[in-house]
Amino acid sequence: FTLLMALLWRGQRLRLLQGAALLLAAAGIVWIGLQLDGAATPLGLALVLGGAFCWGVANLVGQAAGRVDMLAFTIWISVFATPALAVLALWVEGPQALWHAATTATPGAWGAVVWQALGNTLFGYAAWSWLLARHAAAQVVPMALLVPVFGMSCSAWALGESLPAWKLQGAALVLAGLALNLWSQRRAA
């Protein structure tokens, strides 16, 4: 979504080799998705696509902000997002469930919360927005396709989940597409 919106609304361009690289990497994601057991619901799919669209919009907002202090930018975005997320959590989970979760959480659970807030949200989004403010979306956005590859790898390493051939094939397609994209950028330079 980010790349498509950057092409349509921000006038950014995609070179032919970059387009081929993106299609190759996306084929890896599609291949992985086709291997799942079909348990995804239409609502679940709509929520995932809606989240991806919203992330794309947020990426363009960060890119349009230009060369600003992205850590401060991310902090302010988080301050304004907090009330909406709190209301949503109260509505979906209810106050009793939230209170129970907060009062019975283990140190490991609180560590995960701190990591999500500081590591993923503040550092991760600040670094991502910093890259988008300085480079074309076609150079940065394809790297997001590494998320499922790292997810599968980490679940195999930490949880002992299997890595069947279809997962490795999908990961290989994603990595090949990203390598082609990086090579095309160096070639253009």
Side-chain angles (χ1 to χ4, degrees), residues 23-105:
L23 288 175
L24 184 61
I29 299 298
V30 169
W31 177 250
I32 292 168
L34 290 174
Q35 307 307 314
L36 300 179
D37 62 3
T41 64
L43 175 60
L45 181 60
L47 289 172
V48 167
L49 292 175
F53 176 78
C54 290
W55 188 36
V57 170
N59 284 336
L60 290 186
V61 168
Q63 191 176 49
R67 294 179 179 222
V68 299
D69 181 353
M70 283 302 174
L71 181 59
F73 187 78
T74 305
I75 290 169
W76 278 108
I77 289 171
S78 299
V79 166
F80 286 102
T82 300
L85 293 173
V87 168
L88 184 62
L90 284 168
W91 178 56
V92 171
E93 299 294 336
Q96 293 85 7
L98 293 179
W99 178 256
H100 177 73
T103 57
T104 60

